[in-house]
Amino acid sequence: MARPVVTRFAPSPTGMLHIGGVRTALFCWLFARKHGGRFILRIEDTDLDRSTDQNIEIIEQGMLWCGLDWDEGPVPGDPSAWRGPHGPYRQMLRMDSHYRPALARLLAEGGAYRCRCSRDLLDAARAEAEREGRIYQYPGTCREAGHDASQPFAIRLKMPRGEETWLEDGAIVLRDLIKGTLRFPAASLDDWILARTDGTPTYNFCVVVDDTSMEVSHVIRGDDHVANTPKQMALYHALGFEAPVFAHVPMILGKDGAKLSKRHGATSITEYRELGLLPSAVRLALARLSWTPKIDGRAVESAEEELLTDQEMIHLFDLEDCQKSPARFDMDKLNWMNQKLIQRAGWRELEPYLRPFVDRIAPGAWDERSEDWRDLAVRSTQKGKNLIEMAEALRFAFEGPSEFDPKAVEKFLTPALRPVLGEVVNLGDYSHDALERDFNAILERRGLKLKDLAQALRVALCGRPVSPPIFDTLALLGPEEVRARLARWL
C-alpha cells in the first residue's frame, strides 16, 4: 500500500527567506496538493546565534504572502504554539522528546558509538590527509572501543562498510525523482557525527528523526543536499525506518548564468512584495524554474498557456518534468507575468494587494471610498506593470497637484481650450455614458478632438498629461473636486 504523501519545508530562521527556498517550498506544496497529501512547515532553529523569533515571523509572513499555506507547523505569530499531531515543529523544542531518545536507542542497539577523539587529534589527521593529497576520512578509531559515558564523547553513526546486504554492490543507491540513479560507494563514506561533545545533535541526524516522526514520504529539496543523502539513508536503515523518496531540485542562477545575487534583482521574497508584484506571479515564475508543465504530453508553448492558475499548476505538476540542470531566473519574465496577471484579475482579487500601496499615499483613504469607487479605481489602472504603478496612477484622486508641468501647460492648456473647461465644470452626471454623450456634444460644438480636451483636463486636474482614461479620471475625482481644481484655469 502506497504511503500517504507528506512533504515538508524546513528553513533555518537565520535571515531573509530566499527565493530559492520559496521555490523549494512551492514544489513541496504543489506535490502535496496534487496528491491530496499534507504539507509541513518545520523550523530548524539549532543555530542559536542567528535563529530568532523575528526571523521565524519573516518566514511565516513570507510563506503566507506567497500563498503557501501549511497543514502542520507553527501558528503564525506565536513561537510557542503549533498545529498538527507531530509537534513541536521547532527543532530546539524537540531535544528531550525526540533526539535524545533516538541517540540512546542507537547506542543501545549498536548502530552508533561514543567517540573520544579530541579536536586536536582530528585536526592533525585532516592536516596530514591534506599534505598527502587525499580526502580525509575518520578512520574509525573509536568504532569498536566500547567507550562508556565517563568521559566527554561525541556520538558517531556506524556507516556500512560495503558488505551489508541492504547495499547494492557495496554502494548506497539513491533513486532520485529528478536526478535519476546516483551511487555512493560505502567505502567513500566515513562514520559521521550524530551528536557533538556538548550533546547537541547535528543537522543530518535531526533531519532524519524529524522526517521519520512526521511521516514525511517525499523529501523535495535543493541539490546542495545531495551529498547529505547517503548519510541520511544509512541512518534511516540504522533506525529501522523506510527512507522517503528524494527529489533534489537544481539551483537557481541569474539570467547570465552566474550565481543569483542582488544584481539580478531581488533575492528575498519580502523584496518581491515591496516591488508591487502579485503572489500569483511570483508563484508562477518560481514554478517555471526547472519545471516544464505538460498539457496532454506536450510542453506548454504559447504565452497564454504559460499563465497557469494555481489549480492548473497543481493538476499538471510532476517532478519527472523537472530538469536536472540549474534554472535561470529572468526578472523581465516575472514582470511580464505580473502585468498579464494584473490585467486578467478581477478588482476584488487585486484590491487586498493594492490597498497597502495606496495607503502609503493616502493612509486610510482607500477604505473610506465606496465599493463602486474602488472597483473603478482598480479597473482604470490595470494597465500598470505592478501594484506600485497602479497606486501611483491613483495619487491624483487623493491629492491635488502641487505643481504643474510647464511644458504640458503650454502645449495643452491653450487659450482656445481653456474656455472649454468651463463647459466641463457645468456637467453633473459623471456616469460613463453621460460623460461620453456630453463630451461628444462639446467636441462637436467646439470642433475639437477628444484627445485634445482630455489632455488639457489631465494637466489641469493632475498637473501632467498622464492619468487613467479621462472619463474614469473625472468619475474618480467627482464633480465637486473637478470644479474646485478647474477653477484656477477659468
Coordinates of all heavy atoms in Angstrom, one line a residue, residues 58-120:
I58 N 9.4 36.3 9.9 CA 9.7 36.7 8.5 C 9.4 35.5 7.6 O 8.8 35.6 6.5 CB 11.2 37.1 8.3 CG1 11.4 38.4 9.0 CG2 11.6 37.1 6.9 CD1 12.9 38.8 9.0
I59 N 9.8 34.3 8.0 CA 9.5 33.1 7.2 C 8.0 32.9 7.1 O 7.4 32.6 6.0 CB 10.2 31.9 7.8 CG1 11.7 31.9 7.7 CG2 9.6 30.6 7.2 CD1 12.4 30.9 8.5
E60 N 7.3 33.0 8.2 CA 5.8 32.7 8.2 C 5.1 33.7 7.3 O 4.3 33.3 6.5 CB 5.3 32.8 9.7 CG 5.8 31.7 10.6 CD 5.5 32.0 12.0 OE1 5.0 33.1 12.4 OE2 5.6 31.0 12.9
Q61 N 5.4 35.0 7.5 CA 4.8 36.0 6.7 C 5.1 35.9 5.2 O 4.2 36.1 4.4 CB 5.1 37.4 7.3 CG 4.6 37.7 8.7 CD 3.1 37.4 8.8 OE1 2.3 37.9 8.0 NE2 2.7 36.7 9.8
G62 N 6.3 35.6 4.9 CA 6.7 35.4 3.5 C 6.0 34.2 2.9 O 5.5 34.3 1.7
M63 N 5.8 33.1 3.6 CA 5.1 32.0 3.1 C 3.6 32.3 2.9 O 3.0 32.0 1.9 CB 5.3 30.8 4.1 CG 6.7 30.3 4.2 SD 7.0 29.1 2.9 CE 6.0 27.7 3.4
L64 N 3.0 33.0 3.9 CA 1.6 33.3 3.8 C 1.3 34.3 2.7 O 0.4 34.1 2.0 CB 1.1 33.9 5.2 CG 1.1 32.9 6.3 CD1 0.8 33.6 7.6 CD2 0.1 31.7 6.1
W65 N 2.2 35.3 2.5 CA 2.0 36.3 1.4 C 2.1 35.5 0.1 O 1.3 35.8 -0.8 CB 3.1 37.4 1.5 CG 3.0 38.3 0.3 CD1 2.1 39.3 0.2 CD2 3.7 38.2 -0.9 NE1 2.3 39.9 -1.1 CE2 3.3 39.3 -1.7 CE3 4.7 37.4 -1.4 CZ2 3.8 39.5 -3.0 CZ3 5.3 37.6 -2.6 CH2 4.8 38.6 -3.4
C66 N 3.0 34.6 0.0 CA 3.1 33.9 -1.3 C 2.0 32.8 -1.5 O 2.0 32.2 -2.5 CB 4.5 33.2 -1.3 SG 5.2 33.0 -2.9
G67 N 1.2 32.6 -0.5 CA 0.0 31.7 -0.7 C 0.4 30.3 -0.4 O -0.4 29.4 -0.8
L68 N 1.5 30.0 0.3 CA 1.9 28.7 0.6 C 1.5 28.3 2.0 O 2.3 28.4 3.0 CB 3.4 28.5 0.4 CG 3.9 28.9 -1.0 CD1 5.5 28.7 -1.1 CD2 3.2 28.1 -2.1
D69 N 0.2 28.0 2.2 CA -0.3 27.6 3.5 C 0.1 26.2 3.9 O 0.3 25.3 3.0 CB -1.8 27.7 3.5 CG -2.5 26.9 2.4 OD1 -1.9 26.9 1.2 OD2 -3.5 26.2 2.6
W70 N 0.4 26.0 5.1 CA 0.8 24.7 5.6 C -0.2 24.0 6.5 O -1.0 24.7 7.1 CB 2.2 24.8 6.4 CG 2.2 25.8 7.5 CD1 1.9 25.6 8.8 CD2 2.5 27.2 7.4 NE1 2.0 26.7 9.6 CE2 2.4 27.8 8.7 CE3 2.8 28.1 6.4 CZ2 2.6 29.1 9.0 CZ3 3.0 29.4 6.7 CH2 3.0 29.9 8.0
D71 N -0.2 22.7 6.4 CA -1.2 21.9 7.1 C -0.8 21.6 8.6 O -1.6 21.5 9.5 CB -1.5 20.6 6.4 CG -1.9 20.8 5.0 OD1 -3.0 21.3 4.8 OD2 -1.2 20.4 4.1
E72 N 0.5 21.5 8.7 CA 1.1 21.3 10.1 C 2.3 22.3 10.2 O 3.0 22.6 9.3 CB 1.6 19.9 10.3 CG 0.6 18.8 10.1 CD 1.2 17.4 10.3 OE1 2.1 17.3 11.1 OE2 0.7 16.5 9.7
G73 N 2.5 22.8 11.5 CA 3.6 23.6 11.7 C 3.3 24.7 12.7 O 2.3 24.6 13.4
P74 N 4.1 25.7 12.8 CA 3.9 26.7 13.8 C 2.7 27.6 13.5 O 2.3 27.8 12.4 CB 5.2 27.6 13.7 CG 5.7 27.3 12.3 CD 5.4 25.9 12.0
V75 N 2.1 28.1 14.6 CA 1.0 29.0 14.5 C 1.6 30.4 14.3 O 2.4 30.9 15.1 CB 0.1 29.0 15.8 CG1 -0.9 30.1 15.7 CG2 -0.6 27.7 16.0
P76 N 1.2 31.0 13.2 CA 1.9 32.3 12.8 C 1.7 33.3 14.0 O 0.7 33.5 14.6 CB 1.1 32.8 11.6 CG 0.6 31.6 11.0 CD 0.3 30.6 12.1
G77 N 2.9 33.9 14.3 CA 2.9 35.0 15.3 C 3.0 34.5 16.8 O 3.1 35.3 17.7
D78 N 3.0 33.1 17.0 CA 3.1 32.6 18.3 C 4.2 31.5 18.3 O 3.9 30.3 18.0 CB 1.8 32.0 18.8 CG 1.8 31.6 20.3 OD1 2.9 31.5 20.8 OD2 0.7 31.3 20.8
P79 N 5.4 31.8 18.7 CA 6.6 30.9 18.6 C 6.4 29.6 19.4 O 7.0 28.6 19.2 CB 7.7 31.7 19.1 CG 7.3 33.1 19.0 CD 5.9 33.2 19.2
S80 N 5.5 29.7 20.5 CA 5.4 28.5 21.3 C 4.2 27.6 21.0 O 4.0 26.6 21.6 CB 5.2 29.0 22.8 OG 4.0 29.8 22.9
A81 N 3.5 28.0 19.9 CA 2.3 27.2 19.6 C 2.4 26.6 18.2 O 3.2 27.0 17.4 CB 1.0 28.1 19.6
W82 N 1.7 25.5 18.0 CA 1.7 24.8 16.7 C 0.4 24.1 16.5 O -0.4 23.9 17.4 CB 2.9 23.9 16.6 CG 2.8 22.7 17.6 CD1 2.1 21.5 17.4 CD2 3.4 22.6 18.9 NE1 2.3 20.7 18.5 CE2 3.1 21.4 19.4 CE3 4.3 23.5 19.6 CZ2 3.6 21.0 20.7 CZ3 4.7 23.1 20.8 CH2 4.4 21.8 21.4
R83 N 0.2 23.7 15.2 CA -1.0 22.9 14.9 C -0.5 21.7 14.1 O 0.4 21.7 13.3 CB -2.0 23.7 14.0 CG -1.4 24.2 12.7 CD -2.6 24.8 11.9 NE -2.1 25.3 10.6 CZ -1.8 26.6 10.3 NH1 -2.0 27.5 11.3 NH2 -1.4 27.0 9.2
G84 N -1.1 20.5 14.4 CA -0.7 19.3 13.9 C -0.3 18.3 14.9 O 0.1 18.7 16.1
P85 N -0.3 17.0 14.6 CA -0.1 16.0 15.6 C 1.3 15.6 15.9 O 1.6 14.7 16.7 CB -0.9 14.8 15.0 CG -0.7 14.9 13.6 CD -0.8 16.4 13.3
H86 N 2.3 16.2 15.2 CA 3.7 15.8 15.2 C 4.6 16.8 15.8 O 5.8 16.8 15.6 CB 4.2 15.3 13.9 CG 3.4 14.2 13.3 ND1 2.4 14.5 12.2 CD2 3.3 12.9 13.5 CE1 1.8 13.4 11.9 NE2 2.3 12.4 12.6
G87 N 4.0 17.8 16.5 CA 4.8 18.9 17.1 C 5.7 18.5 18.2 O 5.6 17.3 18.7
P88 N 6.5 19.4 18.8 CA 6.7 20.7 18.3 C 7.3 20.8 16.9 O 8.0 19.8 16.5 CB 7.6 21.4 19.3 CG 7.9 20.4 20.3 CD 7.4 19.1 19.9
Y89 N 7.2 21.9 16.2 CA 7.7 22.0 14.8 C 8.9 22.9 14.8 O 9.3 23.5 13.8 CB 6.6 22.5 13.9 CG 5.5 21.4 13.7 CD1 4.5 21.4 14.6 CD2 5.6 20.4 12.7 CE1 3.5 20.4 14.5 CE2 4.6 19.5 12.6 CZ 3.6 19.5 13.5 OH 2.6 18.5 13.4
R90 N 9.6 23.1 16.0 CA 10.8 23.8 16.1 C 11.8 22.8 16.7 O 11.6 22.2 17.7 CB 10.7 25.0 17.0 CG 9.9 26.1 16.3 CD 9.8 27.3 17.3 NE 11.1 27.9 17.6 CZ 11.2 29.1 18.3 NH1 10.2 29.7 18.7 NH2 12.4 29.5 18.5
Q91 N 13.0 22.7 16.1 CA 14.0 21.7 16.5 C 14.4 21.8 17.9 O 14.6 20.8 18.7 CB 15.2 21.7 15.6 CG 14.9 21.0 14.2 CD 16.1 20.9 13.3 OE1 17.1 21.7 13.5 NE2 16.1 20.0 12.4
M92 N 14.6 23.1 18.4 CA 15.1 23.3 19.7 C 14.1 22.8 20.8 O 14.5 22.6 22.0 CB 15.4 24.7 20.0 CG 16.7 25.2 19.2 SD 18.2 24.2 19.6 CE 18.3 24.5 21.4
L93 N 12.8 22.6 20.4 CA 11.8 22.1 21.3 C 11.7 20.6 21.3 O 10.8 20.1 22.0 CB 10.5 22.8 21.0 CG 10.4 24.3 21.2 CD1 9.0 24.8 20.8 CD2 10.8 24.8 22.6
R94 N 12.5 20.0 20.5 CA 12.4 18.5 20.3 C 13.5 17.7 20.9 O 13.6 16.5 20.7 CB 12.3 18.2 18.8 CG 11.0 18.8 18.1 CD 11.1 18.7 16.6 NE 11.1 17.4 16.1 CZ 10.0 16.6 16.0 NH1 8.8 17.1 16.3 NH2 10.0 15.4 15.5
M95 N 14.4 18.4 21.6 CA 15.6 17.7 22.1 C 15.3 16.5 23.0 O 15.7 15.4 22.8 CB 16.5 18.7 22.8 CG 17.1 19.8 22.0 SD 18.3 19.1 20.8 CE 18.7 20.6 19.9
D96 N 14.5 16.8 24.0 CA 14.2 15.8 25.0 C 13.2 14.8 24.5 O 13.2 13.6 24.9 CB 13.7 16.4 26.3 CG 14.8 17.2 27.0 OD1 16.0 16.8 26.8 OD2 14.5 18.1 27.7
S97 N 12.3 15.2 23.7 CA 11.2 14.4 23.3 C 11.5 13.4 22.1 O 11.0 12.3 22.0 CB 9.9 15.2 22.8 OG 10.3 16.1 21.8
H98 N 12.5 13.9 21.3 CA 12.8 13.1 20.1 C 14.3 12.7 19.9 O 14.6 11.6 19.6 CB 12.3 13.9 18.8 CG 10.8 13.9 18.7 ND1 10.1 14.8 19.4 CD2 9.9 13.2 18.0 CE1 8.8 14.7 19.1 NE2 8.7 13.7 18.3
Y99 N 15.1 13.7 20.0 CA 16.5 13.5 19.6 C 17.3 12.6 20.6 O 18.0 11.6 20.2 CB 17.3 14.8 19.4 CG 16.6 15.7 18.4 CD1 16.6 17.1 18.6 CD2 15.9 15.2 17.3 CE1 15.9 17.9 17.7 CE2 15.3 16.0 16.4 CZ 15.3 17.4 16.6 OH 14.7 18.2 15.7
R100 N 17.2 12.9 21.9 CA 17.9 12.2 22.9 C 17.5 10.7 23.0 O 18.3 9.8 23.1 CB 17.9 12.9 24.2 CG 18.7 14.2 24.2 CD 18.9 14.8 25.6 NE 19.7 16.0 25.5 CZ 19.3 17.2 25.5 NH1 18.0 17.5 25.5 NH2 20.2 18.2 25.4
P101 N 16.1 10.5 22.9 CA 15.7 9.0 22.9 C 16.3 8.3 21.7 O 16.6 7.1 21.8 CB 14.2 9.1 22.9 CG 13.9 10.4 23.5 CD 15.0 11.4 23.1
A102 N 16.3 8.9 20.5 CA 16.8 8.3 19.3 C 18.3 8.0 19.5 O 18.8 6.9 19.0 CB 16.6 9.1 18.1
L103 N 19.1 8.9 20.0 CA 20.5 8.7 20.3 C 20.7 7.5 21.2 O 21.6 6.7 21.0 CB 21.2 10.0 20.8 CG 21.3 11.1 19.8 CD1 21.7 12.4 20.6 CD2 22.4 10.8 18.8
A104 N 20.0 7.5 22.3 CA 20.1 6.4 23.3 C 19.8 5.1 22.6 O 20.5 4.1 22.9 CB 19.2 6.7 24.5
R105 N 18.8 5.0 21.8 CA 18.4 3.8 21.1 C 19.5 3.3 20.2 O 19.9 2.1 20.2 CB 17.1 4.0 20.3 CG 16.7 2.8 19.5 CD 15.5 3.1 18.7 NE 15.4 2.2 17.6 CZ 14.7 2.3 16.5 NH1 14.0 3.4 16.4 NH2 14.6 1.4 15.5
L106 N 20.1 4.2 19.4 CA 21.2 3.8 18.5 C 22.4 3.3 19.3 O 23.0 2.3 18.9 CB 21.6 5.0 17.6 CG 20.6 5.4 16.5 CD1 21.0 6.8 16.0 CD2 20.7 4.4 15.4
L107 N 22.7 3.9 20.4 CA 23.8 3.4 21.2 C 23.5 2.0 21.8 O 24.4 1.1 21.8 CB 24.1 4.4 22.3 CG 24.8 5.7 22.0 CD1 24.8 6.7 23.2 CD2 26.2 5.5 21.4
A108 N 22.3 1.9 22.3 CA 21.9 0.6 22.9 C 21.9 -0.5 21.9 O 22.3 -1.7 22.2 CB 20.6 0.7 23.6
E109 N 21.5 -0.2 20.6 CA 21.4 -1.3 19.6 C 22.7 -1.5 18.8 O 22.7 -2.3 17.9 CB 20.2 -0.9 18.7 CG 18.9 -1.0 19.4 CD 17.7 -0.6 18.5 OE1 18.0 -0.2 17.3 OE2 16.6 -0.7 18.9
G110 N 23.7 -0.7 19.1 CA 25.0 -0.8 18.4 C 25.0 -0.1 17.0 O 26.0 -0.4 16.3
G111 N 24.1 0.7 16.7 CA 24.1 1.4 15.4 C 25.0 2.6 15.5 O 25.3 3.2 14.4
A112 N 25.4 3.1 16.7 CA 26.2 4.2 16.9 C 27.2 3.9 18.0 O 27.0 3.0 18.8 CB 25.4 5.5 17.2
Y113 N 28.2 4.8 18.2 CA 29.2 4.6 19.2 C 29.7 5.9 19.7 O 29.6 6.9 19.1 CB 30.3 3.7 18.7 CG 31.1 4.2 17.6 CD1 32.2 5.0 17.8 CD2 30.7 4.0 16.3 CE1 33.0 5.5 16.7 CE2 31.4 4.5 15.2 CZ 32.5 5.2 15.4 OH 33.2 5.7 14.3
R114 N 30.3 5.8 21.0 CA 30.9 7.0 21.6 C 32.3 7.2 21.0 O 33.1 6.2 21.0 CB 30.9 6.9 23.1 CG 29.5 6.8 23.7 CD 29.6 6.7 25.2 NE 28.3 6.6 25.9 CZ 27.7 5.4 26.1 NH1 28.2 4.3 25.7 NH2 26.4 5.4 26.6
C115 N 32.6 8.4 20.7 CA 33.9 8.7 20.2 C 34.6 9.8 21.1 O 34.0 10.8 21.3 CB 33.8 9.3 18.7 SG 35.4 9.9 18.0
R116 N 35.8 9.4 21.5 CA 36.6 10.3 22.4 C 37.7 11.0 21.7 O 38.5 11.7 22.4 CB 37.1 9.5 23.6 CG 36.0 9.0 24.6 CD 36.7 8.2 25.7 NE 35.7 7.7 26.6 CZ 36.0 6.9 27.7 NH1 37.2 6.6 27.9 NH2 35.0 6.4 28.4
C117 N 37.8 10.9 20.4 CA 38.9 11.6 19.7 C 38.8 13.1 19.9 O 37.7 13.7 19.7 CB 38.8 11.3 18.2 SG 39.1 9.5 17.9
S118 N 39.9 13.7 20.3 CA 39.9 15.1 20.6 C 39.9 15.9 19.3 O 40.3 15.4 18.2 CB 41.1 15.5 21.4 OG 42.3 15.3 20.7
R119 N 39.5 17.2 19.4 CA 39.6 18.1 18.2 C 41.0 18.2 17.7 O 41.2 18.2 16.5 CB 39.0 19.5 18.6 CG 39.1 20.4 17.4 CD 38.5 21.8 17.8 NE 37.1 21.7 18.1 CZ 36.1 21.8 17.2 NH1 36.5 22.0 15.9 NH2 34.9 21.7 17.5
D120 N 42.0 18.3 18.6 CA 43.4 18.4 18.2 C 43.8 17.1 17.4 O 44.5 17.3 16.3 CB 44.3 18.5 19.4 CG 44.2 19.9 20.0 OD1 43.6 20.8 19.4 OD2 44.6 20.0 21.2

